[in-house]
Amino acid sequence: EAQVTQNPRYLITVTGKKLTVTCSQNMNHEYMSWYRQDPGLGLRQIYYSMNVEVTDKGDVPEGYKVSRKEKRNFPLILESPSPNQTSLYFCASSWGVAKTSYEQYFGPGTRLTVT
Amino acid sequence: EDQVTQSPEALRLQEGESSSLNCSYTVSGLRGLFWYRQDPGKGPEFLFTLYSAGEEKEKERLKATLTKKESFLHITAPKPEDSATYLCAVHPNDYKLSFGAGTTVTVRA
């Protein structure tokens, strides 16, 4: 089954404790992206990756890091989480940015609480 | 700066009562406009892509249209299972994707 998986689905942590949220897709997609979703603000793009070893900042990259060492995986790293990073996080993937191939497939989400 | 504004924020409909959702956008060039459906606790699910003004796409009771400054999602004779948050997103001439805040639709039987 074609899917995007995220782990963990739920995470409660404390300020400053480094964490990683994993994302994996089994569709051989080139493009992957991370979003956060907050009430009233909608989905905001954190980072995206056009292919292996190629990443760039989205609209809200502060406090986050990413890496793309393999095509299927795109982990999101919070080096020193703060309470304002409490949010619902989604990973997504697509074939690429060419026309007809940009429809994104989203993971189930990771609900992060930082106390 | 790219902006996407959706209205209304919430819409309550009676079953069978048709209505429309609006997505207005300001972008520096448009590669595509997307509509997604999101159910509570789940990731968004792709519905449509529109590329140029005048284009229309249909899927069951949903029909999306696009002009140079906005898009509409028409829901014809909705059913309770159409209840969800509908998200609009634009893909400007780079690799980013910008989403609106969404319209939450509730359809009562």
Side-chain angles (χ1 to χ4, degrees):
Chain A
E1 180 190 354
Q3 60 183 350
V4 178
T5 56
Q6 295 179 227
N7 282 293
R9 293 290 313 281
Y10 302 91
L11 180 59
I12 300 174
T13 190
V14 297
T15 299
K17 186 176 181 181
K18 181 180 178 179
L19 66 92
T20 299
V21 183
T22 64
C23 172
S24 183
Q25 50 93 3
N26 63 0
M27 296 167 279
N28 202 34
H29 284 168
E30 291 183 349
Y31 186 95
M32 297 186 74
S33 184
W34 276 103
Y35 300 87
R36 61 178 289 173
Q37 188 173 37
D38 302 290
L41 296 177
L43 280 160
R44 292 179 293 169
Q45 196 169 34
I46 303 171
Y47 270 95
Y48 58 91
S49 169
M50 291 79 80
N51 214 323
V52 175
E53 301 292 3
V54 183
T55 63
D56 207 349
K57 297 177 181 178
D59 294 320
V60 288
E62 295 77 21
Y64 304 95
K65 285 177 60 177
V66 293
S67 68
R68 187 92 181 272
K69 291 182 169 47
E70 304 168 285
K71 199 170 188 178
R72 64 183 293 129
N73 296 323
F74 190 45
L76 179 70
I77 304 159
L78 284 70
E79 294 269 3
S80 183
S82 62
N84 65 11
Q85 292 178 298
T86 293
S87 187
L88 180 59
Y89 291 86
F90 288 102
C91 180
S93 72
S94 70
W95 286 110
V97 296
K99 197 173 178 176
T100 75
S101 64
Y102 201 70
E103 295 89 355
Q104 296 202 1
Y105 294 79
F106 282 80
T110 295
R111 186 166 292 282
L112 172 65
T113 302
V114 184
T115 61
Chain B
E1 184 179 320
D2 303 326
Q3 282 196 324
V4 183
T5 304
Q6 292 188 245
S7 62
E9 289 185 15
L11 191 59
R12 292 175 64 87
L13 301 171
Q14 199 67 34
E15 184 172 4
E17 178 189 1
S18 301
S19 188
S20 295
L21 285 55
N22 177 266
C23 171
S24 62
Y25 61 90
T26 306
V27 295
S28 53
L30 182 71
R31 280 195 180 184
L33 183 141
F34 306 86
W35 282 99
Y36 286 83
R37 170 190 170 126
Q38 186 175 23
D39 294 306
K42 295 188 176 182
E45 178 183 343
F46 171 77
L47 290 173
F48 303 111
T49 308
L50 301 166
Y51 293 105
S52 56
E55 190 174 358
E56 299 181 350
K57 293 275 181 72
E58 283 190 70
K59 181 179 181 178
E60 295 180 0
R61 295 175 292 283
L62 300 177
K63 179 179 177 180
T65 62
L66 181 65
T67 71
K68 287 188 177 180
K69 292 187 176 182
E70 58 191 349
S71 177
F72 292 93
L73 184 66
H74 308 278
I75 310 178
T76 303
K79 298 182 178 182
E81 53 262 43
D82 295 321
S83 297
T85 296
Y86 292 87
L87 303 171
C88 169
V90 296
H91 173 33
N93 288 329
D94 56 23
Y95 293 100
K96 296 181 180 178
L97 193 64
S98 298
F99 280 84
T103 295
T104 299
V105 175
T106 304
V107 183
R108 296 164 290 177

